[in-house]
Amino acid sequence: MQVLSPSMLFAPPNANESFMNENKQCHDNTTSLPLQITNIPSEFIWPEHEKPCLTPPKLEVPPIDLKAFLSNDPNSISNACSEVYHACKKHGFFLVVNHGVDNKLIAQAHKLVDEFFCMQLSEKQRAQRKMGEHCGYANSFIGRFSSKLPWKETLSFRYSGNNSCKTVEDYFVNVMGEDFRQFGSVYQNYCEAMSNLSLSIMELLGMSLGVDKEYFRNFFEGNDSVMRLNYYPPCKNPDLALGTGPHCDPTSLTILHQDQVEGLQVLVDGIWHSVVPKEDAFVVNIGDTFMALSNGIFKSCLHRAIVNDKIVRKSLAFFLCPNEDKMVTPPKELITKENPRKYPNFTWPSLLEFTQKYYRADERTLDVFSMWLQEKTST
């Protein structure tokens, strides 16, 4: 079992300085473009067999009409369940439309992505992520890896589904200061909308798997989730770099809203396909934790992000995670003679610790984690 050490070296300081200094100056225009880089450090160049395809085929995915599913119309429910079941069994990916999320809130959330990442580096570093943690500001060099680095910046923060908490708003005020209360308010509202949306999607996933529609919804009530703002600057050599390398999300469910710049790719039948941005749709993909909850019936989605040499790409990602005391174990209806138990019981914090300290998330994360957990338990 190949488990990566938590003490991997940082990239050389001169590469860090080159990337940050040349990349973070934003033009005063509507797209807030940073200056392009003439050469990219070797730490960003991916191996030949993993380099991006810049002109992939488009992935044709029928959008799921969530309003129709929630209308209690039997035909709409049956159609939605059938489409989701086949998509999640094949590649773990689908779109939702008529989701009920306020378009103005989505637009505000995207606008603030630009405002945050076009600040001076010293300002962003007030929220700097610490080694081994998953929240805070990060650029490519903040982490334990020194090769195959992602061409992006991120800001991640925790969201609590406990209605009495304003976790997100408090985070921005406590870390960035009172001037960022508006940021915190917008993203608090956005996370609450994403949490509500994810619970509705959980009803759909439950019914498509043949379990009670409230089963997974109840499991994720009071969720302890993560919100991430992604910012992919232009890259002079987009054929050599990746915004995010191939991986499956270790979380349960990812709800993504893209801007109108193409970049997300999903692996289907061994071929990378592009996911064309749709302004009125959310991208939904199954993560490792839900794959375990479905006893392997639904597939964790293998995806990556490419970059381009002309324009910034941005996205908003909400990662649904169960409360830390919830035991991840599939409902008994999904364990049969034909489909025996696939993964051991675990809690989300244990999988999170594994991916933050010991293993770089990829398509094998859940299998390697299961082996690691069994070995740890046996010793």
Side-chain angles (χ1 to χ4, degrees), residues 157-171 187-188 191-192 195 220-227 318-324:
F157 41 90
R158 174 178 168 258
Y159 165 76
S160 171
N162 183 339
N163 292 331
S164 65
C165 298
K166 292 290 183 184
T167 321
V168 177
E169 187 170 339
D170 290 345
Y171 170 82
Y187 288 121
Q188 179 73 43
C191 286
E192 288 171 1
S195 179
F220 286 100
E221 288 281 2
N223 59 84
D224 199 332
S225 299
V226 178
M227 179 74 203
F318 181 82
F319 300 99
L320 179 70
C321 311
N323 195 282
E324 64 179 15

Side-chain angles (χ1 to χ4, degrees), residues 192-239:
E192 288 171 1
M194 291 301 99
S195 179
N196 290 333
L197 176 59
S198 66
L199 295 180
S200 296
I201 293 172
M202 281 298 156
E203 292 185 15
L204 174 57
L205 295 177
M207 291 188 72
S208 67
L209 283 165
V211 302
D212 187 274
K213 79 171 188 176
E214 298 294 328
Y215 184 90
F216 292 120
R217 181 187 181 96
N218 291 340
F219 185 84
F220 286 100
E221 288 281 2
N223 59 84
D224 199 332
S225 299
V226 178
M227 179 74 203
R228 178 169 298 155
L229 316 181
N230 294 310
Y231 189 87
Y232 302 92
C235 176
K236 191 68 176 176
N237 301 107
D239 56 326

Side-chain angles (χ1 to χ4, degrees), residues 81-133:
C81 288
S82 176
E83 288 179 342
V84 164
Y85 181 85
H86 287 100
C88 292
K89 195 170 174 63
K90 183 177 178 64
H91 47 64
F93 172 91
F94 59 97
L95 304 177
V96 292
V97 295
N98 289 329
H99 41 69
V101 180
D102 185 0
N103 289 330
K104 290 182 180 179
L105 178 59
I106 297 172
Q108 280 183 302
H110 276 288
K111 180 176 180 290
L112 292 181
V113 172
D114 270 330
E115 290 191 23
F116 180 85
F117 289 106
C118 284
M119 293 192 309
Q120 293 293 321
L121 176 60
S122 59
E123 287 292 298
K124 291 180 286 192
Q125 285 180 326
R126 288 158 65 185
Q128 183 116 334
R129 190 176 76 195
K130 296 177 182 178
M131 182 72 79
E133 295 185 357

Side-chain angles (χ1 to χ4, degrees), residues 132 134 226 250-251 347-358 369:
H134 66 283
V226 178
T251 50
T347 60
W348 161 240
S350 63
L351 177 55
L352 177 62
E353 179 189 24
F354 179 73
T355 57
Q356 292 299 307
K357 294 183 178 180
Y358 307 117
F369 169 69

Side-chain angles (χ1 to χ4, degrees), residues 63-81:
I64 306 301
D65 187 332
L66 196 61
K67 184 178 180 180
F69 167 76
L70 296 172
S71 70
N72 293 323
D73 174 64
N75 287 335
S76 297
I77 292 173
S78 176
N79 290 339
C81 288

